[in-house]
Amino acid sequence: MKVAFFSSKSYDRQSFEAANADYHHDLTFFDAQLNSNTAALAAGFPAVCKFVNDIADAATLEILASNGTRLLALRSAGFDQVDLKRAAELGIKVVRVPAYSPYSVAELAVGLVLMLNRKLYRAYNRVRDDNFSLEGLLGFDLNGRTVGVVGTGKIGMIFAQIMQGFGCSLLGYDAYPNSQFEAIPNARYVSLPELLASSDIISLHCPLMSETHYLINPNTIEQMKPGVMVINTSRGGLIDTAAAIEGIKSGKIGHLGIDVYEEEEALFFQDLSNTIIQDDTFQLLQSFPNVVITAHQGFFTQEALCSIATTTLTNITDFEQGQPLKNEVVYQPSPSTKALV
Ligand code: NAD
């Protein structure tokens, strides 16, 4: 099947070309981000493959459909950039990679915790500068701390298990609790207000949907412990960045670690080191000494890339052969699946 890849990088080409030896699809890689200005590149491609910051809003989907695209294959788990309702109306099937090494994202979240609680990012730079002072590097033990996990699905569960290994107590909040979470020693479900009020570290692992948009906002920040650490490896839109900045300035948020940012489309996955960044909010966030930002690299491990390529190509083959689409994202007009575009 002819497949047009958008936002493709060298590592996409490598992982997909290697995996495609077993699938024999006809892959074309475009550097361009998918949006209504670039969708015409996919003319004549029945399948389009998009990544997290490619935009599949109504206008883009209409162009794809009019040019013959019938399958939108997401090489990601999250589908918040897809107008599922419009896709369904246009007869475009949407498939995704629901799970690909959830360890990759969970372990990065733990990495952000360790960076922040021991100020490793500052220590690394100091020693390289022959500054061996410990002033300002005082950390805290994770052992005995309370960790709040918002969203206890595949990634949240692994994050919780790792943090339990550090000797932390776990509080979970999930719209759809699962019994496995409470099987972890020292883990129990609580209401969101209790999680906010009792956690030393809060890590977000729920999807971005209308009801989770700005889950972290002035009201929820107000409910948190002073000096709380907030970690977000899920989607940028879960945090109202302006509110987080106010929380950092007031001292309410003591540490912020993010792998995702609500306006990341204009920044992430590209080298802007010779560019004047126009996003003042991002620049302000970067300037704080207690904030660590990574550029959406949670998924970026060898195991995850291999799994993403294999599952995506299987999804495409299933569609081509008229097989059931086990990884289809079906539009359901209920609040829990209402996608944000
Ligand atoms: P998952 O579907 O296994 O788990 C999500 C959990 O969130 C589920 O348990 C679900 O019940 C829960 N949830 C749904 N609505 C909720 C709500 N309103 N409040 C609280 N919890 C709610 O998904 P996953 O594989 O664990 O991935 C989680 C998220 O991680 C994805 O949605 C995606 O946005 C993000 N992600 C980020 C990266 C990265 O590179 N940083 C990579 C993959 C996934």
Side-chain angles (χ1 to χ4, degrees), residues 51-52 76-80 96-102 104-105 108 149-157 173-178 189 192 204-213 215 232-236 238 259-260 264 269 294-300 308 336:
F51 195 46
V52 286
S76 64
F79 47 89
D80 43 276
R96 66 174 181 138
V97 184
Y100 53 85
S101 180
S104 63
V105 186
L108 186 92
V149 184
V150 180
T152 54
K154 291 177 285 298
I155 295 169
M157 275 294 296
Y173 171 71
D174 197 302
Y176 307 93
N178 78 76
Y189 279 114
L192 184 60
L204 307 179
H205 299 287
C206 60
L208 175 62
M209 300 177 295
S210 51
E211 59 269 53
T212 58
H213 184 240
L215 184 85
N232 185 12
T233 56
S234 190
R235 283 291 182 268
L238 296 178
D259 186 48
V260 287
E264 69 178 48
F269 306 125
T294 51
H296 207 139
Q297 66 176 82
F299 72 98
F300 201 52
I308 288 168
S336 63

Side-chain angles (χ1 to χ4, degrees), residues 189-240:
Y189 279 114
V190 293
S191 66
L192 184 60
E194 185 177 346
L195 183 150
L196 296 171
S198 306
S199 299
D200 301 300
I201 298 169
I202 297 171
S203 194
L204 307 179
H205 299 287
C206 60
L208 175 62
M209 300 177 295
S210 51
E211 59 269 53
T212 58
H213 184 240
Y214 282 2
L215 184 85
I216 304 301
N217 57 51
N219 175 39
T220 50
I221 291 171
E222 182 58 33
Q223 297 173 54
M224 295 175 188
K225 274 187 172 181
V228 64
M229 180 189 294
V230 177
I231 303 291
N232 185 12
T233 56
S234 190
R235 283 291 182 268
L238 296 178
I239 296 184
D240 174 350

